[in-house]
Protein backbone atom coordinates (compact mmCIF):
# COMPACT_ATOMS: atom_id res chain seq x y z
CA UNK A 1 0.00 0.00 0.00
CA UNK A 2 1.42 3.38 -1.01
CA UNK A 3 1.90 6.30 1.36
CA UNK A 4 -1.00 8.11 -0.31
CA UNK A 5 -3.25 5.08 0.19
CA UNK A 6 -2.17 4.94 3.85
CA UNK A 7 -3.09 8.60 4.26
CA UNK A 8 -6.51 8.02 2.72
CA UNK A 9 -7.07 5.00 4.95
CA UNK A 10 -6.13 7.08 8.00
CA UNK A 11 -8.84 9.61 7.11
CA UNK A 12 -11.43 6.84 7.09
CA UNK A 13 -10.04 5.33 10.31
CA UNK A 14 -10.28 8.60 12.25
CA UNK A 15 -13.91 9.07 11.18
CA UNK A 16 -14.84 5.48 12.00
CA UNK A 17 -13.21 5.64 15.46
CA UNK A 18 -14.89 8.97 16.25
CA UNK A 19 -18.26 7.54 15.24
CA UNK A 20 -17.75 4.34 17.25
CA UNK A 21 -16.85 6.35 20.36
CA UNK A 22 -19.91 8.56 20.00
CA UNK A 23 -17.78 11.70 19.72
CA UNK A 24 -18.98 14.93 18.13
CA UNK A 25 -18.38 14.26 14.44
CA UNK A 26 -18.28 17.90 13.36
CA UNK A 27 -14.61 18.36 14.20
CA UNK A 28 -13.63 14.97 12.79
CA UNK A 29 -15.54 15.73 9.59
CA UNK A 30 -13.81 19.10 9.24
CA UNK A 31 -10.44 17.38 9.54
CA UNK A 32 -11.47 14.63 7.11
CA UNK A 33 -12.64 17.09 4.46
CA UNK A 34 -9.43 19.08 4.68
CA UNK A 35 -7.24 15.96 4.56
CA UNK A 36 -9.29 14.46 1.71
CA UNK A 37 -9.03 17.72 -0.22
CA UNK A 38 -5.25 17.57 0.14
CA UNK A 39 -4.80 13.93 -0.87
CA UNK A 40 -7.47 13.80 -3.59
CA UNK A 41 -6.69 17.23 -5.00
CA UNK A 42 -9.87 19.13 -4.17
CA UNK A 43 -10.05 22.89 -3.96
CA UNK A 44 -13.19 22.79 -1.83
CA UNK A 45 -15.31 20.17 -0.09
CA UNK A 46 -18.43 20.27 2.07
CA UNK A 47 -20.72 17.98 4.03
CA UNK A 48 -24.46 18.66 4.21
CA UNK A 49 -27.01 16.91 6.42
CA UNK A 50 -30.73 17.60 6.05
CA UNK A 51 -34.07 16.68 7.58
CA UNK A 52 -37.07 14.99 5.97
CA UNK A 53 -37.97 18.27 4.26
CA UNK A 54 -34.45 18.60 2.77
CA UNK A 55 -33.77 21.56 5.07
CA UNK A 56 -30.05 21.67 5.94
CA UNK A 57 -29.36 20.85 9.59
CA UNK A 58 -25.54 20.68 9.44
CA UNK A 59 -22.95 22.13 7.07
CA UNK A 60 -19.21 21.53 7.45
CA UNK A 61 -16.88 22.82 4.74
CA UNK A 62 -13.27 23.38 3.68
CA UNK A 63 -11.88 25.47 0.81
CA UNK A 64 -8.46 26.77 -0.18
CA UNK A 65 -9.92 30.18 -1.10
CA UNK A 66 -13.11 32.07 -0.35
CA UNK A 67 -13.89 32.14 -4.09
CA UNK A 68 -13.81 28.35 -4.30
CA UNK A 69 -15.89 28.07 -1.14
CA UNK A 70 -18.50 30.34 -2.71
CA UNK A 71 -18.36 28.50 -6.04
CA UNK A 72 -19.00 25.15 -4.34
CA UNK A 73 -21.80 26.59 -2.20
CA UNK A 74 -23.37 27.99 -5.37
CA UNK A 75 -23.19 24.61 -7.11
CA UNK A 76 -24.83 22.96 -4.12
CA UNK A 77 -27.64 25.49 -3.87
CA UNK A 78 -28.30 26.10 -7.56
CA UNK A 79 -27.61 22.63 -8.98
CA UNK A 80 -27.27 19.64 -6.67
CA UNK A 81 -29.95 20.63 -4.12
CA UNK A 82 -32.46 21.34 -6.90
CA UNK A 83 -31.72 18.06 -8.65
CA UNK A 84 -32.17 16.17 -5.38
CA UNK A 85 -35.50 17.87 -4.74
CA UNK A 86 -36.88 17.79 -8.30
CA UNK A 87 -35.18 14.74 -9.85
CA UNK A 88 -34.29 12.60 -6.79
CA UNK A 89 -30.56 12.93 -7.54
CA UNK A 90 -28.32 10.57 -5.57
CA UNK A 91 -24.81 11.03 -6.98
CA UNK A 92 -23.25 13.04 -9.78
CA UNK A 93 -19.87 13.86 -11.38
CA UNK A 94 -19.81 16.96 -13.56
CA UNK A 95 -17.18 18.87 -15.53
CA UNK A 96 -17.35 22.54 -16.52
CA UNK A 97 -15.33 24.41 -19.16
CA UNK A 98 -13.93 27.93 -19.23
CA UNK A 99 -10.54 29.56 -18.88
CA UNK A 100 -9.96 27.34 -15.85
CA UNK A 101 -11.98 24.13 -16.20
CA UNK A 102 -13.26 22.55 -13.01
CA UNK A 103 -15.05 19.42 -11.89
CA UNK A 104 -17.58 18.83 -9.15
CA UNK A 105 -19.30 15.88 -7.53
CA UNK A 106 -22.05 15.02 -5.07
CA UNK A 107 -21.96 11.73 -3.11
CA UNK A 108 -24.94 10.74 -0.92
CA UNK A 109 -24.95 9.74 2.74
CA UNK A 110 -27.45 6.90 2.95
CA UNK A 111 -29.36 5.09 5.67
CA UNK A 112 -31.33 2.10 4.37
CA UNK A 113 -31.08 3.59 0.87
CA UNK A 114 -32.60 6.88 2.08
CA UNK A 115 -30.32 9.92 1.57
CA UNK A 116 -29.97 12.13 4.64
CA UNK A 117 -26.91 14.09 3.53
CA UNK A 118 -24.19 14.45 0.92
CA UNK A 119 -20.52 15.24 0.38
CA UNK A 120 -19.87 17.71 -2.41
CA UNK A 121 -16.52 18.75 -3.82
CA UNK A 122 -14.81 21.00 -6.34
CA UNK A 123 -11.59 20.44 -8.28
CA UNK A 124 -9.93 22.87 -10.68
CA UNK A 125 -7.75 21.87 -13.60
CA UNK A 126 -7.72 19.13 -16.19
CA UNK A 127 -7.45 16.17 -13.80
CA UNK A 128 -10.77 14.35 -13.59
CA UNK A 129 -12.16 13.72 -10.16
CA UNK A 130 -13.74 10.46 -11.27
CA UNK A 131 -10.32 8.84 -10.76
CA UNK A 132 -10.96 9.06 -7.01
CA UNK A 133 -14.52 7.74 -7.03
CA UNK A 134 -13.67 4.63 -4.97
CA UNK A 135 -12.15 6.67 -2.14
CA UNK A 136 -14.97 9.23 -2.27
CA UNK A 137 -17.58 6.48 -2.07
CA UNK A 138 -15.73 4.98 0.91
CA UNK A 139 -15.57 8.39 2.60
CA UNK A 140 -19.31 8.91 2.06
CA UNK A 141 -20.04 5.40 3.39
CA UNK A 142 -18.03 5.91 6.59
CA UNK A 143 -19.72 9.25 7.20
CA UNK A 144 -23.11 7.65 6.53
CA UNK A 145 -22.50 4.95 9.13
CA UNK A 146 -21.11 7.36 11.73
CA UNK A 147 -23.81 10.02 11.45
CA UNK A 148 -26.62 7.48 11.09
CA UNK A 149 -25.45 5.70 14.26
CA UNK A 150 -25.45 8.96 16.21
CA UNK A 151 -28.88 9.88 14.85
CA UNK A 152 -30.18 6.45 15.90
CA UNK A 153 -28.82 6.98 19.42
CA UNK A 154 -30.59 10.34 19.48
CA UNK A 155 -33.85 8.72 18.37
CA UNK A 156 -33.51 6.04 21.05
CA UNK A 157 -33.05 8.75 23.68
CA UNK A 158 -36.04 10.67 22.33
CA UNK A 159 -38.14 7.47 22.30
CA UNK A 160 -37.18 6.78 25.93
CA UNK A 161 -38.12 10.33 26.92
CA UNK A 162 -41.50 9.92 25.20
CA UNK A 163 -42.02 6.56 26.92
CA UNK A 164 -41.18 8.08 30.32
CA UNK A 165 -43.54 10.99 29.66
CA UNK A 166 -46.40 8.67 28.70
CA UNK A 167 -45.72 6.45 31.71
CA UNK A 168 -45.75 9.45 34.06
CA UNK A 169 -49.02 10.65 32.53
CA UNK A 170 -50.55 7.20 33.16
CA UNK A 171 -49.33 7.22 36.77
CA UNK A 172 -50.75 10.69 37.41
CA UNK A 173 -54.06 9.67 35.80
CA UNK A 174 -54.17 6.69 38.16
CA UNK A 175 -53.25 8.94 41.10
CA UNK A 176 -56.13 11.32 40.30
CA UNK A 177 -58.53 8.35 40.27
CA UNK A 178 -57.13 7.05 43.55
CA UNK A 179 -57.41 10.48 45.15
CA UNK A 180 -61.02 10.80 44.04
CA UNK A 181 -62.16 7.27 44.89
CA UNK A 182 -60.08 6.74 48.06
CA UNK A 183 -59.79 10.15 49.67
CA UNK A 184 -63.56 10.73 49.92
CA UNK A 185 -64.26 7.68 52.12
CA UNK A 186 -60.87 8.16 53.78
CA UNK A 187 -61.87 11.68 54.87
CA UNK A 188 -65.02 10.25 56.44
CA UNK A 189 -63.00 7.61 58.31
CA UNK A 190 -60.50 10.17 59.59
CA UNK A 191 -63.21 12.61 60.61
CA UNK A 192 -65.11 10.05 62.65
CA UNK A 193 -61.99 8.62 64.27
CA UNK A 194 -60.78 12.08 65.29
CA UNK A 195 -64.24 12.96 66.69
CA UNK A 196 -64.15 9.81 68.81
CA UNK A 197 -60.64 10.66 70.03
CA UNK A 198 -61.91 14.02 71.23
CA UNK A 199 -64.06 12.11 73.75
CA UNK A 200 -61.05 10.46 75.37
CA UNK A 201 -62.51 10.61 78.86
CA UNK A 202 -65.30 8.30 77.76
CA UNK A 203 -62.97 5.76 76.11
CA UNK A 204 -60.87 3.04 77.69
CA UNK A 205 -57.14 2.86 76.87
CA UNK A 206 -57.40 -0.17 74.58
CA UNK A 207 -60.06 1.50 72.40
CA UNK A 208 -58.09 4.77 72.27
CA UNK A 209 -54.98 2.85 71.15
CA UNK A 210 -56.91 1.14 68.36
CA UNK A 211 -58.44 4.43 67.20
CA UNK A 212 -54.98 6.02 67.08
CA UNK A 213 -53.73 3.10 64.97
CA UNK A 214 -56.66 3.61 62.55
CA UNK A 215 -55.92 7.35 62.42
CA UNK A 216 -52.21 6.77 61.69
CA UNK A 217 -53.00 4.24 58.94
CA UNK A 218 -55.51 6.58 57.33
CA UNK A 219 -52.99 9.42 57.39
CA UNK A 220 -50.43 7.13 55.74
CA UNK A 221 -52.89 6.27 52.96
CA UNK A 222 -53.55 9.99 52.43
CA UNK A 223 -49.79 10.68 52.28
CA UNK A 224 -49.30 7.94 49.65
CA UNK A 225 -51.99 9.39 47.38
CA UNK A 226 -50.47 12.87 47.69
CA UNK A 227 -47.01 11.53 46.81
CA UNK A 228 -48.41 9.94 43.68
CA UNK A 229 -49.84 13.30 42.65
CA UNK A 230 -46.46 15.01 43.18
CA UNK A 231 -44.48 12.40 41.23
CA UNK A 232 -42.16 13.93 38.58
CA UNK A 233 -39.96 10.96 37.58
CA UNK A 234 -41.46 7.53 36.81
CA UNK A 235 -39.00 5.29 38.69
CA UNK A 236 -39.59 1.65 39.60
CA UNK A 237 -38.31 -0.54 42.43
CA UNK A 238 -38.37 -4.31 42.92
CA UNK A 239 -41.37 -5.58 44.89
CA UNK A 240 -41.29 -9.38 44.91
CA UNK A 241 -40.83 -12.29 42.50
CA UNK A 242 -39.69 -9.94 39.73
CA UNK A 243 -42.72 -7.67 40.16
CA UNK A 244 -42.02 -3.94 40.19
CA UNK A 245 -43.82 -1.03 41.77
CA UNK A 246 -43.65 2.75 41.38
CA UNK A 247 -41.05 4.37 43.64
CA UNK A 248 -42.63 7.19 45.68
CA UNK A 249 -39.90 7.44 48.30
CA UNK A 250 -38.80 10.67 49.98
CA UNK A 251 -35.72 10.71 47.71
CA UNK A 252 -37.96 11.47 44.72
CA UNK A 253 -39.59 14.39 46.51
CA UNK A 254 -36.26 16.00 47.42
CA UNK A 255 -34.99 16.17 43.80
Amino acid sequence: MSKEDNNKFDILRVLAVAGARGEDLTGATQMALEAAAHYVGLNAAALYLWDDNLEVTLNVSYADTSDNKGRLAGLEEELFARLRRDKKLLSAYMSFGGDVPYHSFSMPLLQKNRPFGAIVGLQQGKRTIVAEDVFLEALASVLSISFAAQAKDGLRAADQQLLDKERLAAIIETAVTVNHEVNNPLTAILGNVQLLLLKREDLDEELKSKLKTIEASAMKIKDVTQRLMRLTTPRSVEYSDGTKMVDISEEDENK
Side-chain angles (χ1 to χ4, degrees):
M1 184 180 290
S2 68
K3 181 179 179 180
E4 183 175 314
D5 288 336
N6 274 324
N7 289 329
K8 293 176 183 176
F9 174 80
D10 195 54
I11 295 170
L12 303 179
R13 181 189 64 79
V14 169
L15 283 172
V17 170
R21 290 177 177 172
E23 299 173 3
D24 180 10
L25 287 172
T26 304
T29 301
Q30 181 75 49
M31 178 282 302
L33 290 177
E34 186 170 351
H38 176 73
Y39 292 114
V40 177
L42 301 177
N43 296 94
L47 168 96
Y48 292 91
L49 299 184
W50 52 73
D51 59 20
D52 291 338
N53 297 317
L54 295 181
E55 294 294 329
V56 175
T57 58
L58 177 66
N59 173 215
V60 181
S61 63
Y62 162 79
D64 55 8
T65 67
S66 59
D67 286 344
N68 283 328
K69 182 176 182 179
R71 183 176 287 113
L72 182 61
L75 284 169
E76 166 62 22
E77 181 179 350
E78 298 167 14
L79 181 61
F80 295 134
R82 287 190 179 185
L83 287 173
R84 289 190 205 103
R85 183 182 63 248
D86 299 337
K87 302 296 183 181
K88 307 301 180 185
L89 172 73
L90 283 180
S91 62
Y93 289 90
M94 298 184 177
S95 295
F96 302 86
D99 295 337
V100 180
Y102 62 93
H103 316 277
S104 187
F105 70 90
S106 175
M107 298 290 298
L109 273 61
L110 300 171
Q111 183 181 24
K112 294 183 178 179
N113 294 321
R114 182 185 68 83
F116 65 94
I119 303 174
V120 297
L122 176 74
Q123 182 186 63
Q124 292 179 333
K126 295 181 179 180
R127 181 185 178 188
T128 173
I129 206 169
V130 178
E132 300 292 349
D133 62 342
V134 173
F135 168 71
L136 293 173
E137 287 177 4
L139 180 61
S141 297
V142 171
L143 284 167
S144 294
I145 293 169
S146 299
F147 277 105
Q150 288 199 356
K152 190 174 182 180
D153 289 341
L155 287 174
R156 279 199 293 262
D159 288 343
Q160 186 59 49
Q161 289 176 354
L162 179 61
L163 183 63
D164 289 344
K165 186 176 180 180
E166 291 176 346
R167 184 174 174 223
L168 180 60
I171 292 172
I172 291 175
E173 185 176 337
T174 302
V176 171
T177 303
V178 169
N179 267 271
H180 177 72
E181 299 295 336
V182 174
N183 279 352
N184 285 339
L186 189 64
T187 299
I189 292 171
L190 266 173
N192 284 290
V193 167
Q194 289 168 347
L195 280 174
L196 287 171
L197 286 172
L198 288 175
K199 302 178 181 180
R200 293 186 179 183
E201 65 277 3
D202 299 329
L203 304 174
D204 60 49
E205 291 301 319
E206 182 180 1
L207 181 56
K208 283 193 287 186
S209 176
K210 289 179 178 179
L211 287 172
K212 286 182 178 179
T213 300
I214 294 172
E215 181 185 34
S217 297
M219 291 298 292
K220 186 174 181 180
I221 293 171
K222 186 176 182 180
D223 180 57
V224 167
T225 60
Q226 289 175 345
R227 288 188 192 211
L228 277 170
M229 291 292 292
R230 296 194 298 267
L231 196 66
T232 58
T233 304
R235 282 202 321 271
S236 297
V237 292
E238 291 291 334
Y239 179 60
S240 65
D241 299 327
T243 304
K244 292 185 177 182
M245 66 178 183
V246 177
D247 184 4
I248 55 171
S249 62
E250 290 286 354
E251 179 184 355
D252 186 75
E253 287 187 12
N254 294 330
K255 285 189 175 182

